[in-house]
Amino acid sequence: MNLHREMLRLGILATAVCCLAGSAKAQTVAEAARLPEAQQREIVLRYANNSIANLPLRADAAGKPKSEEIYTRDRILANLVRALFIQDAKHADIAPDGLRVMLVRIKKYSTESPNRTVLDVMGDVVDWSFQHFYIDYYTPEKKANYVKKSDAEQEAWFRIAIQLYEDKRTNERIIAELKAKDAEVVKSIKDMYDSAVILADGRHVLRSKDGDFMVVSSDPDDRNDVKLERRFYPEAQSIYDCMRARGIHDGQAGRAACAR
C-alpha cells in the first residue's frame, strides 16, 4: 500500500472509529448500496470531513509528530480531498466529482467485492487522484511552488485540474460517439451502394420514392446524387423489377441474374 494512502486512512480513522456512529463505521459497499443515495453521500462526506480535519495536523493518529515532508504531503492530501468531495460554494451547480465517482463505485463493488468497505474504496479514489493530479501532474519545480500556496489556492488548483480532466473525458466520449455515428453512416452508404442496380456502364442507381432513378457514389463524402438520364430508365427498371421479384439485395448478383 502506498504511504500517502495509508496516511489518508489514518487521518480518517483517527476520529471515524470514535465519532462515527452506526452505519458509517466500517460500512461495507454492500451495506451502503442498500441505502438511499442521500445516506451514501453522508457516509462519504463524513469520511472526507474527518480526513480534512485530521490530515493537516502536525501529529499522526498515534500522537507522534510528523516530519515536515509527511506534514506537507498530508496538507496537500487534505486539500485534494476537499476538492474531490466537498461542494464548491462558488459553483453550487457542479457536483463534486469524487462524490459522484464514489456513488458509482459503491454500486459497482456491491456486486463485485461486497465486503470491501466504503473507506477502502474511497482510499482507491483518493490514491489515484493524488497520483494523477499531483505526483504525475507537476514537475519537481512546480511541486516546490505548490507547497508554498495557501490551502485555498491548492484546493482551487485541484478543482481546476479535476475539471480539466473531466472536460477531456467528456470531449473524448463525444468524439468517440461521433466517430461511431460516422462509421454507421459510412456503412449505410456502402450497403446502399452495394445493393443498388448496376447498369451496363458500371453506374449504380437507386430508385427514389417518386419512381426516379438516382446515380449514387460509393464515396461517403459525395452526396451529389444526380438523376439518371431517361434513356437508361428501361434498363434500370428491368433490373430493379427482376431483383425485387427474385429477392436479390446485392447489386452484383442482381446484375448477373437480371441483366439482358
Side-chain angles (χ1 to χ4, degrees):
M1 183 183 296
N2 291 338
L3 181 60
H4 61 267
R5 181 171 168 187
E6 177 62 18
M7 291 305 297
L8 168 72
R9 294 167 185 277
L10 290 174
I12 297 174
L13 289 173
T15 55
V17 173
C18 297
C19 302
L20 296 184
S23 63
K25 185 168 64 175
Q27 188 86 39
T28 67
V29 288
E31 293 167 339
R34 292 193 290 268
L35 299 173
E37 282 194 358
Q39 292 186 34
Q40 294 177 28
R41 290 190 184 90
E42 288 179 4
I43 293 169
V44 174
L45 286 174
R46 286 172 184 170
Y47 286 141
N49 284 323
N50 278 321
S51 68
I52 292 167
N54 286 279
L55 281 168
L57 298 179
R58 285 287 180 177
D60 61 23
K64 182 180 178 181
K66 298 178 182 177
S67 68
E68 192 62 30
E69 179 183 3
I70 297 298
Y71 167 75
T72 298
R73 183 204 58 210
D74 287 356
R75 184 173 76 88
I76 294 173
L77 258 176
N79 292 326
L80 170 61
V81 171
R82 188 179 289 106
L84 277 171
F85 298 105
I86 306 302
Q87 181 69 57
D88 183 1
K90 296 179 181 178
H91 300 91
D93 57 324
I94 302 177
D97 289 296
L99 195 54
R100 173 181 56 78
V101 170
M102 278 300 299
L103 293 178
V104 172
R105 293 200 176 192
I106 287 172
K107 181 178 180 180
K108 174 185 176 182
Y109 288 119
S110 66
T111 56
E112 294 182 5
S113 305
N115 291 326
R116 290 190 67 184
T117 65
V118 174
L119 180 58
D120 185 51
V121 174
M122 186 174 173
D124 285 346
V125 174
V126 176
D127 187 54
W128 182 92
S129 300
F130 191 68
Q131 185 75 36
H132 189 82
F133 297 118
Y134 182 71
I135 294 178
D136 296 337
Y137 198 81
Y138 292 111
T139 63
E141 293 77 14
K142 289 185 177 180
K143 287 176 183 175
N145 291 327
Y146 201 81
V147 168
K148 300 175 184 177
K149 296 181 184 298
S150 67
D151 289 343
E153 289 173 326
Q154 288 187 5
E155 177 190 343
W157 279 108
F158 274 133
R159 289 188 186 278
I160 291 172
I162 293 168
Q163 188 59 55
L164 288 174
Y165 174 77
E166 289 300 321
D167 289 345
K168 179 183 177 183
R169 289 188 64 198
T170 299
N171 291 337
E172 289 174 345
R173 184 168 57 251
I174 292 173
I175 291 172
E177 291 172 355
L178 291 175
K179 285 183 176 179
K181 290 180 180 179
D182 186 59
E184 290 177 2
V185 172
V186 170
K187 184 180 183 303
S188 177
I189 292 173
K190 182 181 184 303
D191 292 344
M192 179 180 64
Y193 181 80
D194 291 343
S195 65
V197 169
I198 301 176
L199 302 179
D201 60 13
R203 288 182 296 173
H204 289 227
V205 296
L206 288 172
R207 191 171 186 271
S208 64
K209 293 181 179 179
D210 57 12
D212 288 328
F213 285 96
M214 306 298 295
V215 179
V216 295
S217 170
S218 61
D219 183 356
D221 294 325
D222 182 4
R223 305 308 302 139
N224 296 317
D225 300 344
V226 295
K227 189 174 179 180
L228 181 66
E229 300 93 328
R230 278 291 171 182
R231 66 180 181 275
F232 294 103
Y233 266 53
E235 178 188 5
Q237 189 68 56
S238 175
I239 297 175
Y240 174 80
D241 291 339
C242 174
M243 289 176 64
R244 290 195 66 188
R246 299 190 183 191
I248 299 174
H249 302 287
D250 178 83
Q252 293 290 348
R255 179 73 195 168
C258 301
R260 297 175 182 175

